[in-house]
Each structure stands twice: as structure tokens, then as C-alpha cells.
């Protein structure tokens, strides 16, 4: 292969994967990777500021714009940021493991949550099994001259007589095929009906039953639907058996949009490019279709038997999926387009299911409090309890709900990407090799680390970060302000390119051969992230006249939340210092809520009511929030009285190590 | 031009019109005419049995299959049946005036009905002006951080506060453009809402308001809709001003489907050919689009301002328009697909209006009692009166409704094409030159005829036929059995090719130069047609225990009905012999009802209720109907007691002419 070609078309060969792709000379290497289906995680959306899309150039020439995200060492090895590089010749490119979207990285997570979810992780009670999608087998009397009402009237009459169903609408496409289906089935047919709202207000009690399919004969024995949690990073799905209320199978995929930016804002910005919204919509649909294909193949279920799709996602993900421009979500004063989107045909947006399948989205509250939260709150049973409850979904954006069955307030705050390993020097997503736990030996300041998959360390994920910082703090290596204690006598603490840092793993022990460190800048980023979350729920709580100690239940939701060590999260001041038994994990509340809504119209209705019940509070311009945020930029907090048990621990630690102050 | 060409492609030149069309050698001449847009009336759908598509071959060669429908005289002149002829060379073809669908033939009719309809021909009362399609101008408060609900919620809140509107759904397409429209209009927008049913039962009281359009600024000052009566032969339309409840303009066109067959059955049969349904759907849509174009050009109204389309038509016309196969309408036991079709996007079936325009169809009762009848019955106010009413729509199919505000029974009977001039030796449609009135001088049996347009006679239309037969009967030229009285001494009565005939106009006075006659066979056809109608309402009346004399009101509907002379219709036994002042004409009740439904949800609801109120009776296999039919095959009837005033007249006539019996 020539190392330099003058031809207008260049071939780029990616490894691992052995994928070739032809691009025009001068094209972006990131785009070439996208074209090749090599999912690089461009956290910053191609701006060059995250450094996550770096690849090893093994052969060929690129024109690159070097940023501070590439160390001398990496640069000299041949690493380049794909987003900053133009393809100038045929290339051989190696994508470092851990920076590539590889579906097997998700197995750890799902392996754990599968079991939890299948065993009925939902915390709510008091609902009947009554799926909004139902099949009814009907034996109709044949028409005669003295009973020659229209085919549809005959059908409606039987539905009324045999199932007490009335106020039914019918899809026009179904009506067109009705006469042939009735006769093909010799007047024995199976009708699929979907209960949908007759109102754009999600709390509407007015519902209509819509005939969405009709088939000859009795097909009522098999009846499935799909639920999706559309996350910014991952898409999780379950295939549901609607006859028996069972989860048949589940699957997870990275959201293909990730190659266009890691966070919501980057995605919304991308949507403003010409054709950008369509590209992102197609990207998420591609991931959904991959999941659908895998689920039906694995379960050996005919695609025809899937009758409905239900989706819960944050507001931006919901709007992008539906092709509704999310522009105003990120512009003051942050208005979403609607709280409740009409039910649409799934294949109208490219989802690979049969014509009759409708897609319903979970109602949302505000630009940053989406359908994932309304579904999760109901899954947690928060709408049925009188106990004051705090619902927390921690991620790049933190979503907070406080209230009970009578009232709910909600807010969102931006924590930045730190909890997902983003913009941390050695931060990576929670894939194999990510440091997820860390203890530090108080005697010699040596760390004991645990990685995802138990393999050689490759970087630090969000839960690892919390664990590391708690350990650094509890060992006295860093102070409450997050600065390194330079009195520590250990070569683990040293001056690096970015100031002081702590060596978590030495090069001899790591996958890359380079040291893995945590820097003072990283620690500062985590402190800002945890301060935003803490200030968020504190401000929201104060706005309704409560304090942390009043909270009777804390629901921790989200994939990240699943892996938080409560004690350590309290140590760093991320979570309030209240009795540990008040904390409950709900895992993927969004998917659980969406699934339950497929099993019960009680839940569907409850999600709608919750969406209307919630009052959204905007924190971004709130001075109380800013004050709370400033006060929380400390480990665990400037006001140590808010963390009585940590106060005591810190005193104990210090006493043990340095003697009493 | 060569008279014979071996080339595979032949050019056919049609006159009048000076239209050239290229077809493959061997193509049907009827299809060539269709392709050229020369609307030949193929009453039989191309079977060769009606003889209506005959054209004059001026030059060139055709291969023709001569049928009995072509006289020696015509054949020798060069006339050929287009449907029976294959194009074998380049041709010059002349289409006889009167056999070509020429829109100006419709002007007489509309000139009369325009005035009547514009002056408020509808007979019903007690309705409020409350169009189902409304525009609302809204000034929304701008969003702020403390009021940043979704764009849709903001809109719904204003609709609720300012107009007390709730339970609103919104079109997904509208939602997509909502954010930009709100901001383009600086939060001042005009919303168009359509009230539609939430039920497939037409009588449903549950309605929802659907936002079908949103525009920046105040566009509420101009607001229009279109109503159509889709008849088997003609399509009539009115452009309505929904702000002022006015008819802005109206237009009429032949239904382009007529070139594929004149009656409903022929059309349904055509739909069973591959692609046939689509061809007929496109044909009617083509006529609709022609009308729309003309209306908006003539009225100088922007197409954007048309917000809704409402259609009333018989069951087959409704189903074909919507693309719903009408197959089972003509098969025992005659079941339509539905009584009420969902509201659909008008442009989804090719109608040339803006994306946001929905099309609503009038609900129907049975395969042969359609949305034209339900609309007409309400227009006639039959649903509001306690008086026993007979509603009669006479055409190829007669539709009969008997009842009042509490109950209604309905039936249809096939009268054949005689009332529309079909299958009558010199029958033509009611265009210029059609004999529409006839009196016969009792002294010399000479006729006095009046033609449409006052021009030279060209043939006989339906109303003319009634008038002629009444005159022949009253002058004693024919007997009560419809046979000629051979004792009559007049050269007007003679033996012709088809048996006895009466010369209405001699060749010297006619357009074609040939005599125009009425034959005993023609008379027999009319007797059968009138017998079917009379037997129909008599059977229906008896089935509910009434007789003719009980009827307090007779509503005569339909374009044909408009031109019936009541006295003469009673003379031949088509209408019951009751006091003449009980008869009312409603003209095009279908269009009137559809228009009123656009002006008032009261009427929309009433049409739905009427559709559910009506009980359909199938006459086709009813032995009472057969008995009544046989008894009615006499002028006016075998039981002359049913026609007391005619009995007396006949006696008087006979006494005057031949002396007392």
C-alpha cells in the first residue's frame, strides 16, 4: 500500500476490525471512521477539545491540527485526534481499545441489571395487568341480506357485545384491508387494539381505543411489544410478551449518535447543521434497528408479532428520535416543543417494524427533565407514597425530583461529563479495564484498584473516580479543597504535566504501558460535578421548605447510579448524609417504567399524571443555586454540619494518621 | 396524413378539439380517446352494449366489432363504436356533439341550482353557525425562565384560557413546525382547529379538537373550505367562506370516471381489473382538482386559505375516492366496508390542496344508501320533523327514505339508466338539444317539444322521457300497458327497426338530420324504471305499516328530480298521487347537506345521528317488492285506485278523444 497517494480517493484501513473505507482526499478522519462504522467516541462532537477520538496512525499521511489533548509522548508514538486530522493518503489506522464503541463493553452493565430487572426491580405496587395493546379474537356472524351492516360495523358490534368495548377508532390502512381479512379468515379474525390518549395533555383521562391491526384467524396467542430507553450514551431495550407480562429478552447498544458528540448539547448543536437533525435521527434509529434485529433473531420471534413500541428518553433524545428540532432546548429559557408527542407510526421514522406498529413516547416535563424521569418516578412508586422522596438520576445531566403522591418539583443541573469519565485525563467509559474501585493503604499510600472485567487497567470510569477521590480524601492525600497534601511522603504523589497528580497504576501494570494518574485538575472537575448535583437537590429542597434530614427515601436511578458506592458518594459530598437504609437503587428506572406502562394502562396513566404533576424549577439562573454550588465546592462541603457522619470519620482519619488537630 | 400505416405507433386526431394522440397500433379507440382527454361516455364501460361511444371515422382504418347498437345508416356513414374498434392506422375521428363530455352541457343545470342553493335551499332549521373548522388568533405570553413550559403547553393554555377549549390533539407535522412558527410570529399565531369524531360510529357524541394548522400572525380574517357532491355522473362543489357562512363560488364537472362506465356497477367491475381501482380513484381526483383549480382562480383565493374538504357521495363513489375497494358493494349480501371513514389528509389521495387539509366524508348507511342521502335527509330537515316524510332521490339508482325525527327506514332500488337517457334509442344526457318537455296536440297527434338550450333537437333526456310518455299516454297514442294504439291515424306513429315508434322530430328539424323517435322498447324501459322506484317506496312504506296517503311531505332530491314535472310523474305512476303541495324539491340535497355540515357542528352531528338512525331494508330479494314491481308495470299502475286523480284524467281524456266508454 502506498504511503502517499495523489489520487483524489484515499483508502483508510481500520484495525481492529479490518475495515476498509474509501474517502475523498482531504476528508476528516473522524468522518471516515463514522463511514466505516468504527464508532469513535467524539465526546466534544469533533471540536478537538476532548481528545477521545485519538487513533494510532500506523501508515500514511494526515494533516493534523495538534491540540493540548495530545501529549508529546502520544504524538510521537503516532497518535492523532481523528477529528483534527485530514486524510491525505491511503492510511492504516489503529483504534485503541477502550476508545472504540464496542458493544461487548456494555455486557458487564447489562449482565447485572438484567438479573435485577427481570426479578422485578420496580418499586411501585397497586397496578393491574392491563396492557394498552391488546389482541381480541372474534368470531363474527356472517353477513346476510337481513344483516348486511358494513364490515366495520360488524366488527365494532362484536367488540361491544363480546368485550364491552366502545368508542373505537380504526386506522384507515386497516379499514382498507378489512373486507379481505374478514373473508380470508372466514369471519374469524384477531383485532389488535391500542389505547391512546385523546388529548395532548399527558394527564388526560380521555382515552380512545384504536384498531391498529386485523389478521385472519386466531393470532392472539402470541403478542409482543418492544420498550426502549433511549439514553444519550446507550440504548436499552426489552422484548415483552404482552400475553404473560414477561420480559422475553433484552439488548443494549451504544447510541450511534455518540460519534457526533457525547453530550446532549453537542448533539443539539449538531442538529443545527444542515441535515444534522436527520443524520442524528437516522443514527439513533440505526441503533434501534440493530437491537430489534438482534432481539427477534435471538428470540426466534416473527417480526409480525411485534405490535407496539414504547420509548422513554430525555427530552432531547425524544425530540431527535421523532425528528423534532431540539434547538430551543438549549436556548434560554429552555422550552421543549411539547410535553407529550402524538403516537406515530414507527416505520415513519425508519424503525424496521411492520406497518401497523405505533410508537409511543413517555411524556416529559421540561427541556432537561424528560420521559426517562417520568417513567422512572412511576417505576419507583414515588407517585403512590406519602413519604417525602428524593429521586436522583446522576449523569452528565443530573435530574432531581422531590415530592410524593401529592406534589412533585423537579430540576436539572449540568454536572459535566466527569461522572462518565469524560474530560478526565485518563477517564474512559465504564468498559473493560476501567478502574471502578480504589482503596488506599493508610500506611504507605499505595492503592488497591479493581477494574471492570478484572483486566489490566486502562483508565478511570465515573464510579471509580468517586471511589478514588473518597480514598484520597480519607487517606489525607488530598484536603477538603481537593488540593494535594504535599507533605505526603510517597512517589505516588508527584508533579505532572497538569500539576500535582497521584499514580493509580504504573506503566508496567497497565494495558498501554503508560502510568494511569489522577490529577488535581481531574479532582477539581469531579468536585464541580458533585457540587452541581448536591446544590441542585439542596436548592430544590429549600424551595419547598425542606432539608436533607426530612427525606425519607432517596431513589438512585440510572446506569451510573447503579455503581455508586453510597458511603463513598456521601464522603465526597455527592449525596446527603442521611441514614444509609433510606437509599434505594432502581437501576434503569426509565426502561422499567416504560416496560410497566406496556403492561398496564394504570402505569401509562400514572406516568401521564406525574408529568402534569411535576413543577419544573430552573436552577441555571437561580442565585440560591449559585450560592449552594459555591458552598459545595469542598469535600464533602464547606458546612461540615451537613455531613455529621463524615465529619466524625474525617476526624477519626486525621487522628489516626497525623494525630489529633 | 397516410390512411394506412404499418408503423407500430399510430396517431389519432380527434375533432372537435383538434387533439392528437399517439397510441400503439391495435389499441382500443376508446382508450385512445381517454388518453386524449376526449371524454366519451362509455355507459356500459366498454362492453359495446350501450352504443354511446360511437364516433365518426373520417380517415384511416380500424378493426371493428359491429354490434346491434350501430344502425346500418350509421355504419355506412362511417360511425364506429370506439370501444369495439382497434386503431390500425393513423386516424381522423370526429366525436359527435352530445356524446362527448363537455362541461358546458352542465351550465344549464347549475345556472338554475346556483340561484336556488345560494338563496338557501336547505329546508332544515334550528342550527347554529359553528363550523367544525375554526381559526383562532392567539397572543401568547413569551416564555421566561419562570414560565418555560413547552411550546405546545403554552399554546394549549391560551386556547383554554381565551377560548375555553380543552381536550385538544395536535397533528405531528404541525408540532414539528410549532417552535419556528411561534417565534416567527413573535408569539402571535393563528391556529386552525378541526372538530372530529373520536369514534368509528357516526353518531358518536365524543369529539376531539385537532390542531391541523398553525401560522404566524393573524390569518383568521380569511378562512375557506370546499364541499363536494361526488356523483356517479357529475361532481359539484362549492367554495365556502367559513367566517361569514357564505358560498363564494361553485363549480361542476363531469366525473372523469364516466369514461370507464356510466353506472356504479360498471365502475365496481372496473375496479376489479388490475390497477382498476387506482385508475378510477385518479379519475375522480382529476375532476376534483380541475374544480379546485377553477374555484381558486375564479375567486382569486390563495390555496393556502383552504382548510378543509368535505365530501358527500354514494357508497361506491366514497369508497373509490378513498381507494377502498368497493367489490363487496355489488356482491350479495351487499356490505359496504364501513359506515364512517376516518378523516384523512386530502393530499394523501392526490387532491391538490395544502398538506394540512383534511378530507371528511359524509357517513353512509348501506351499499346503496350513501353519504349523499344522509347529508340530503338532514338538509331537508327530515330529522327534525314529526311529519311522516318520504325522501326520494331518483337516478340510475333510486334511494328512498321514509320516517321522521324518531325513526327512518331506507332502501335502494335499481331503476336502470333510463332516467338519465341511457339505453334509450335516442337518449342523451340533459345537454343542449335534449328534448326535455313534450306536449301532444290531441287533434292531430303532432308533438310540441322543448329542448335544453332551445336548439335543434338531438335526443331525449330523462325528464323529457317522462314528459313524452305522459303526453303519449294522455293523448291515447299508447295504452296503459305502454303499447302503441295502432288505431291512431298519424304518420308520427310508425313501424321502425325496433317495432312501433313515435316520431318526435323529423330529420329536417334535427341536428343530425335523422328522425328522433321514441320506441315501444324505450317506453318499456321507462315503465320498468318508474315501476322500480314506485315499488321501492311502496314496499318500504308497507313494511312500516303506512300507505301513500299517510305521507305528509315528499322531498324530491337529486339533479334529475329538479327537472321532474310532478304532475307528469304522477301521470306515469312514478310518484304517488297525493296533494301536489306536499311535494318539495331540495335539488342537490347532498351538496346542501355537506355545505351545512361545514357551517355547523349541529348539522355534522345530525348527519351522524341520521346515519345511525336509519334502518336499511334490502329490496332486491324481497317478494313484496317483486309483487309491487309487477303491479307497477302499467301506466300509471294496475291498481288505478292508487291514482285517483289520474284515473279521472284518463277518463276525461278518453271521453274527449274517443267518446265515453
Amino acid at each position: 500500500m502506498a504511503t502517499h497517494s495523489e489520487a483524489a480517493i484515499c483508502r483508510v484501513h481500520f484495525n481492529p476490525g479490518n475495515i476498509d473505507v474509501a474517502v475523498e482526499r482531504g476528508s476528516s478522519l473522524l468522518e471516515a471512521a463514522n463511514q466505516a462504522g468504527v464508532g469513535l467516541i467524539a465526546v466534544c462532537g469533533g471540536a478537538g477539545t476532548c481528545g477521545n477520538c485519538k487513533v494510532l496512525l500506523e501508515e500514511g499521511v494526515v494533516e493534523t491540527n495538534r491540540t493540548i489533548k495530545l501529549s508529546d509522548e502520544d504524538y510521537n508514538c503516532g497518535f492523532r485526534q481523528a477529528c483534527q486530522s485530514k486524510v491525505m493518503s491511503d492510511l492504516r489506522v489503529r483504534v485503541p481499545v477502550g476508545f472504540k464503541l464496542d458493544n461487548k463493553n456494555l455486557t458487564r452493565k447489562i449482565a447485572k441489571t438484567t438479573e435485577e430487572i427481570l426479578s422485578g426491580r420496580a418499586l411501585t405496587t397497586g397496578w393491574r395487568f392491563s396492557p394498552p395493546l391488546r389482541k381480541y379474537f372474534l368470531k363474527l356472524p356472517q353477513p346476510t341480506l337481513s344483516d348486511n351492516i358494513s364490515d366495520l360495523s360488524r366488527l365494532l358490534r362484536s367488540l361491544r357485545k363480546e368485550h364491552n368495548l366502545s368508542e373505537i377508532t380504526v386506522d384507515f390502512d386497516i379499514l382498507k384491508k378489512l373486507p379481505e381479512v374478514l373473508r380470508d379468515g372466514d369471519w374469524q379474525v384477531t383485532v389488535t387494539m391500542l389505547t391512546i390518549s385523546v388529548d395532548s395533555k399527558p394527564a388526560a383521562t380521555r382515552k380512545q381505543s384504536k384498531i391498529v391491526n386485523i389478521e385472519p384467524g386466531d393470532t392472539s396467542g402470541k403478542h409482543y411489544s418492544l420498550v426502549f430507553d433511549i439514553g444519550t450514551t446507550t440504548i436499552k431495550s426489552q422484548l415483552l410478551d404482552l400475553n404473560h407480562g414477561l420480559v422475553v429478552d433484552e439488548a443494549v447498544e451504544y447510541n450511534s449518535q455518540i460519534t457526533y458528540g457525547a453530550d446532549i448539547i453537542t448533539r443539539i448543536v449538531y442538529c443545527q447543521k444542515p441535515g444534522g437533525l436527520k443524520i442524528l435521527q437516522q443514527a439513533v434509529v440505526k441503533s434501534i434497528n440493530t437491537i430489534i434485529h438482534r432481539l427477534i433473531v435471538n428470540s426466534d420471534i416473527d417480526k409480525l408479532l411485534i405490535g407496539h413500541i414504547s420509548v422513554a428518553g430525555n427530552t432531547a433524545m425524544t425530540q431527535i428520535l421523532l425528528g423534532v428540532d431540539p434547538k430551543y432546548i438549549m436556548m434560554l429559557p429552555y422550552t421543549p416543543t411539547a410535553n407529550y408527542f402524538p403516537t406515530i407510526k414507527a416505520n415513519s421514522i425508519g424503525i424496521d417494524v411492520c406497518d401497523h406498529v405505533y410508537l409511543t413516547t413517555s411524556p416529559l416535563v421540561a427541556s432537561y427533565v424528560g420521559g426517562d424521569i417520568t417513567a422512572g418516578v412511576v417505576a419507583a412508586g414515588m407517585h403512590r407514597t406519602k413519604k417525602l422522596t428524593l429521586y436522583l438520576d446522576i449523569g452528565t445531566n443530573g435530574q432531581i425530583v422531590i415530592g410524593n403522591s401529592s406534589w412533585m418539583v423537579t430540576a436539572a443541573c449540568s454536572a459535566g461529563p466527569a461522572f462518565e469519565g469524560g474530560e478526565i485525563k485518563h477517564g474512559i467509559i465504564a468498559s473493560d479495564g476501567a478502574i471502578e474501585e480504589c482503596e488506599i493503604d493508610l500506611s504507605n499510600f499505595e492503592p488497591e484498584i479493581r477494574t471492570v472485567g478484572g483486566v489490566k487497567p486502562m483508565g478511570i470510569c465515573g464510579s471509580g473516580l468517586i471511589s478514588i477521590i473518597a480514598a484520597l480524601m480519607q487517606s489525607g492525600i488530598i484536603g477538603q479543597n481537593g488540593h494535594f497534601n504535599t507533605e505526603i511522603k510517597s512517589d505516588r504523589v508527584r508533579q505532572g504535566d497538569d500539576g500535582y497528580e497521584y499514580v493509580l497504576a504504573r506503566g508496567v501494570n497497565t494495558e498501554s504501558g503508560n502510568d494511569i494518574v489522577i490529577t488535581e485538575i481531574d479532582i477539581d472537575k469531579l468536585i464541580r460535578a458533585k457540587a452541581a448535583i448536591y446544590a441542585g437537590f439542596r436548592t430544590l429542597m429549600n424551595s419547598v421548605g425542606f432539608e436533607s434530614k426530612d427525606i425519607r427515601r432517596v431513589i438512585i436511578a440510572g446506569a451510573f447510579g447503579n455503581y455508586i458506592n453510597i458511603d463513598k458518594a456521601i464522603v465526597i459530598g455527592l449525596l446527603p448524609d442521611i441514614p444509609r437504609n433510606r437509599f434505594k437503587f432502581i437501576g434503569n428506572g426509565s426502561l422499567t417504567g416504560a416496560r410497566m406502562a406496556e403492561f398496564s394502562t394504570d402505569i401509562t396513566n400514572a406516568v401521564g399524571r406525574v408529568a402534569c404533576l411535576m413543577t419544573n424549577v430552573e436552577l441555571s439562573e437561580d442565585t440560591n443555586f449559585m450560592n449552594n454550588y459555591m458552598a459545595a465546592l469542598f469535600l464533602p462541603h464547606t458546612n461540615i454540619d451537613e455531613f455529621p457522619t463524615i465529619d466524625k470519620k474525617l476526624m477519626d482519619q486525621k487522628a489516626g494518621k497525623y494525630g489529633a488537630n
Side-chain angles (χ1 to χ4, degrees), chain A:
Chain A
M1 185 182 288
T3 53
H4 194 106
S5 159
E6 293 298 329
I9 299 296
C10 303
R11 280 203 305 151
V12 185
H13 187 82
F14 289 95
N15 267 313
N18 197 29
I19 303 161
D20 257 322
V21 64
V23 296
E24 268 188 42
R25 189 163 174 272
S27 303
S28 151
L29 182 54
L30 180 62
E31 278 169 21
N34 287 346
Q35 195 180 318
V38 177
L40 286 173
I41 311 168
V43 173
C44 64
T49 55
C50 73
N52 276 18
C53 66
K54 68 179 180 187
V55 295
L56 184 64
L57 186 64
E58 294 182 331
E59 211 175 287
V61 179
V62 298
E63 262 181 31
T64 201
N65 173 30
R66 188 180 168 193
T67 77
I68 55 160
K69 284 289 154 184
L70 217 54
S71 68
D72 285 345
E73 193 182 339
D74 278 352
Y75 190 82
N76 294 335
C77 281
F79 278 102
R80 297 292 181 272
Q81 283 170 272
C83 71
Q84 298 299 307
S85 302
K86 286 183 187 168
V87 179
M88 301 309 289
S89 75
D90 289 351
L91 304 179
R92 288 185 77 90
V93 171
R94 182 163 294 276
V95 181
V97 182
F99 289 98
K100 184 173 166 296
L101 290 177
D102 186 344
N103 193 47
K104 78 173 163 50
N105 291 339
L106 295 169
T107 37
R108 173 191 78 128
K109 297 200 169 186
I110 205 66
K112 187 172 175 193
T113 53
T114 299
E115 187 186 306
E116 290 164 351
I117 290 169
L118 287 179
S119 66
R121 185 67 180 258
L123 303 173
T124 189
T125 55
W127 52 278
R128 299 159 305 154
F129 182 70
S130 59
L133 190 78
R134 298 284 292 268
K135 276 188 171 183
Y136 298 94
F137 173 59
L138 297 169
K139 294 181 178 184
L140 306 177
Q142 292 212 10
T144 62
L145 270 176
S146 58
D147 173 27
N148 64 353
I149 57 173
S150 72
D151 290 347
L152 179 61
S153 296
R154 185 169 307 275
L155 192 71
L156 296 177
R157 187 175 66 185
S158 277
L159 284 166
R160 189 175 63 246
K161 278 190 186 169
E162 292 177 30
H163 300 283
N164 199 28
L165 293 168
S166 59
E167 300 193 326
I168 293 165
T169 60
V170 60
D171 254 4
F172 186 53
D173 289 342
I174 301 307
L175 203 52
K176 278 185 172 179
K177 69 176 184 178
L178 177 65
E180 294 310 325
V181 171
L182 289 178
R183 287 158 182 91
D184 286 352
D186 201 19
W187 304 96
Q188 304 199 359
V189 291
T190 304
V191 170
T192 309
M193 307 245 299
L194 179 65
T195 303
I196 59 173
S197 179
V198 191
D199 202 324
S200 296
K201 268 177 66 184
T205 49
R206 275 185 83 190
K207 302 280 175 181
Q208 63 176 315
S209 297
K210 194 179 184 84
I211 298 177
V212 296
N213 202 16
I214 180 161
E215 299 160 294
D218 186 358
T219 70
S220 64
K222 290 182 176 179
H223 190 206
Y224 302 92
S225 81
L226 288 164
V227 286
F228 287 89
D229 165 52
I230 308 287
T232 312
T233 305
T234 56
I235 298 176
K236 302 191 184 72
S237 175
Q238 295 184 333
L239 173 64
L240 308 180
D241 177 339
L242 294 184
N243 280 340
H244 305 98
L246 294 174
V247 178
V248 178
D249 196 5
E250 55 184 8
V252 62
E253 270 291 320
Y254 283 107
N255 184 337
S256 302
Q257 287 176 351
I258 210 168
T259 60
Y260 302 95
D263 63 42
I264 289 174
I265 297 299
T266 327
R267 306 261 176 95
I268 298 176
V269 169
Y270 194 90
C271 286
Q272 304 320 304
K273 295 182 184 180
L277 173 59
K278 182 136 202 180
I279 288 170
L280 290 198
Q281 186 189 33
Q282 286 171 343
V284 64
V285 166
K286 182 182 149 199
S287 303
I288 289 172
N289 286 341
T290 302
I291 287 179
I292 292 176
H293 182 71
R294 192 183 317 142
L295 285 174
I296 61 177
V297 167
N298 288 355
S299 313
D300 197 20
I301 281 173
D302 192 330
K303 200 167 75 171
L304 271 170
L305 297 170
I306 293 173
H308 188 238
I309 291 181
S310 183
V311 165
N314 65 49
T315 304
M317 288 302 108
T318 303
Q319 291 202 187
I320 294 173
L321 172 65
L322 296 176
V324 177
D325 193 342
K327 181 174 171 186
Y328 297 103
I329 288 178
M330 67 165 188
M331 286 171 69
L332 265 169
Y334 318 120
T335 48
T337 298
N339 291 60
Y340 191 43
F341 289 94
T343 290
I344 60 167
K345 285 284 177 85
N347 65 9
S348 73
I349 56 169
I351 297 180
D352 184 19
V353 285
C354 296
D355 285 350
H356 65 272
V357 177
Y358 277 91
L359 178 142
T360 308
T361 50
S362 184
L364 50 96
V365 178
S367 279
Y368 297 98
V369 181
D372 48 348
I373 301 303
T374 54
V377 159
V378 170
M382 188 164 165
H383 65 301
R384 289 180 56 85
T385 181
K386 294 205 165 127
K387 291 181 185 167
L388 184 66
T389 303
L390 167 65
Y391 183 97
L392 261 184
D393 192 327
I394 302 170
T396 307
N397 285 285
Q399 277 102 23
I400 307 153
V401 186
I402 296 169
N404 58 27
S405 56
S406 310
W407 60 271
M408 292 185 194
V409 290
T410 179
C413 49
S414 175
F419 289 129
E420 286 168 359
E423 300 188 6
I424 298 297
K425 186 175 178 112
H426 288 134
I428 60 173
I429 55 172
S431 49
D432 275 1
I435 299 171
E436 58 172 346
E437 280 280 7
C438 174
E439 299 288 343
I440 293 177
D441 189 328
L442 295 181
S443 65
N444 57 9
F445 303 109
E446 283 298 300
E448 188 182 324
I449 59 171
R450 198 182 76 206
T451 62
V452 176
V455 300
K456 278 191 180 176
M458 292 171 55
I460 310 164
C461 67
S463 55
L465 210 54
I466 292 172
S467 185
I468 292 162
I469 289 170
L472 289 172
M473 182 186 155
Q474 288 179 308
S475 62
I477 296 174
I478 60 171
Q480 286 187 265
N481 60 4
H483 292 174
F484 277 91
N485 181 348
T486 51
E487 289 171 26
I488 297 287
K489 299 288 178 252
S490 163
D491 61 355
R492 291 273 174 181
V493 176
R494 69 187 189 196
Q495 190 90 32
D497 289 347
D498 301 339
Y500 277 102
E501 60 189 27
Y502 176 83
V503 181
L504 287 156
R506 299 192 199 279
V508 291
N509 299 318
T510 67
E511 177 70 27
S512 68
N514 298 326
D515 293 352
I516 294 173
V517 302
I518 183 154
T519 69
E520 213 166 86
I521 291 172
D522 293 340
I523 296 166
D524 187 57
K525 281 182 180 156
L526 187 84
I527 292 176
R528 289 178 188 277
K530 76 95 189 172
I533 302 288
Y534 186 81
F537 66 74
R538 198 176 187 287
T539 309
L540 194 59
M541 222 143 39
N542 295 354
S543 77
V544 283
F546 291 101
E547 292 179 32
S548 293
K549 63 180 168 49
D550 301 319
I551 300 170
R552 286 290 163 274
R553 232 166 54 130
V554 180
I555 311 287
I556 306 288
F560 172 63
N562 249 357
Y563 300 102
I564 293 178
N565 178 311
I566 293 292
D567 269 316
K568 295 194 172 171
I570 295 173
V571 163
I572 68 161
L574 169 62
L575 295 177
D577 188 6
I578 57 175
R580 307 310 188 250
N581 62 4
R582 295 189 189 170
F583 289 87
K584 303 269 181 210
F585 291 94
I586 193 177
N588 192 328
S590 168
L591 189 64
T592 306
R595 180 186 74 239
M596 294 172 66
E598 281 293 281
F599 285 157
S600 175
T601 49
D602 294 340
I603 299 293
T604 316
N605 294 341
V607 176
R609 276 199 311 279
V610 159
C612 286
L613 187 64
M614 287 181 178
T615 303
N616 184 55
V617 176
E618 281 300 329
L619 297 178
S620 57
E621 314 279 312
D622 187 308
T623 51
N624 290 326
F625 174 73
M626 283 312 293
N627 294 338
N628 280 323
Y629 175 71
M630 297 308 288
L633 289 173
F634 217 65
L635 296 169
H637 199 270
T638 47
N639 180 10
I640 198 69
D641 293 345
E642 290 193 21
F643 289 81
T645 71
I646 304 310
D647 187 22
K648 188 165 172 301
K649 268 190 192 166
L650 274 176
M651 294 307 111
D652 293 350
Q653 300 283 3
K654 288 183 181 173
K657 187 64 193 167
Y658 306 109
N661 282 359

